[in-house]
Amino acid sequence: ARDTIGIIPLYMGWSQHGAVCFASELKAIHKISHRYEEFPPGHVYDSASDKKTMFYTPKWWDGAMLPTAPITLCHLREAFEKSVISHLMSDVPYGVLLSGGLDSSLVASIMSRHCQRRVETDGKEPAYWPQLHSFSVGLEGSPDLKAAREVSNYLKTVHHEYHFTPQQGLDALSDVIFHLETFDVTT
């Protein structure tokens, strides 16, 4: 079975000898499979019938379930903050990838306000590592790194910068594509 909305990739392949293979990375089954495909989200595979069956029907497929009331900025903010806070469960120091743009700056701001207490105990216990670490990656002197540094200074995070040259970026491109298994720059 694959998760209901396809957050985690899953691939299915067939060997020349009839074996069915599954892997979260295509490269793991590429050499042993003569045919492969992406396994669809929200499905389960029955090896006896060789059929994939949907086990989950998302609520949003039913048009009647779509909200009709307009969302207020207050509700949007509350939902966004709740989402960020719900991911603050860790036994290691908290970290955020900070580009200096609006999205990552907002996430870092929410994290910095809530990283002192453990989410798992509804804030009753202090966090093991209450200091937020921020990370930025880019070209030396780039405006993104400057903006990330400014946000980090404002939020008082422990900031880490990693620089690379244009040539290092070009040299790493094929390895990055191989490991991510995509050309998609948003991944």
Side-chain angles (χ1 to χ4, degrees):
R2 183 170 179 199
D3 68 281
T4 55
I5 60 173
I7 294 173
I8 307 298
L10 186 62
Y11 299 96
M12 181 177 189
W14 293 264
S15 77
Q16 292 182 359
H17 305 292
V20 179
C21 312
F22 294 90
S24 60
E25 291 188 353
L26 187 56
K27 66 177 108 7
I29 61 174
H30 173 70
K31 290 184 179 179
I32 60 172
S33 300
H34 73 283
R35 184 173 69 92
Y36 40 83
E37 63 188 44
E38 184 175 11
F39 195 82
H43 282 69
V44 64
Y45 175 71
D46 180 357
S47 60
S49 65
D50 193 35
K51 300 246 188 260
K52 293 176 279 215
T53 308
M54 181 180 268
F55 70 86
Y56 174 77
T57 303
K59 291 178 185 177
W60 60 85
W61 282 13
D62 177 3
M65 296 296 293
L66 296 176
T68 55
I71 188 165
T72 66
L73 292 177
C74 184
H75 285 113
L76 180 62
R77 178 183 178 169
E78 288 171 3
F80 181 59
E81 286 188 16
K82 184 178 177 183
S83 176
V84 172
I85 293 166
S86 73
H87 286 82
L88 289 175
M89 290 189 262
S90 178
D91 292 335
V92 296
Y94 296 119
V96 62
L97 185 60
L98 186 56
S99 69
L102 179 62
D103 298 354
S104 68
S105 298
L106 289 172
V107 170
S109 175
I110 295 166
M111 289 178 72
S112 71
R113 288 195 315 259
H114 295 277
C115 69
Q116 291 79 25
R117 310 295 300 173
R118 289 181 57 84
V119 173
E120 302 92 317
T121 64
D122 292 324
K124 294 181 182 106
E125 296 178 19
Y128 297 138
W129 291 276
Q131 182 67 46
L132 179 63
H133 288 252
S134 57
F135 300 84
S136 297
V137 181
L139 300 173
E140 183 90 49
S142 71
D144 290 352
L145 289 179
K146 180 179 183 280
R149 208 174 303 119
E150 290 172 1
V151 171
S152 169
N153 288 338
Y154 180 80
L155 297 176
K156 297 178 178 42
T157 68
V158 178
H159 193 59
H160 310 271
E161 281 188 10
Y162 297 92
H163 306 120
F164 63 90
T165 66
Q167 188 58 51
Q168 288 171 321
L170 291 171
D171 291 345
L173 198 54
S174 63
D175 287 338
V176 169
I177 292 169
F178 174 79
H179 289 290
L180 293 180
E181 296 188 337
T182 183
F183 293 93
D184 181 1
V185 296
T186 63
T187 300

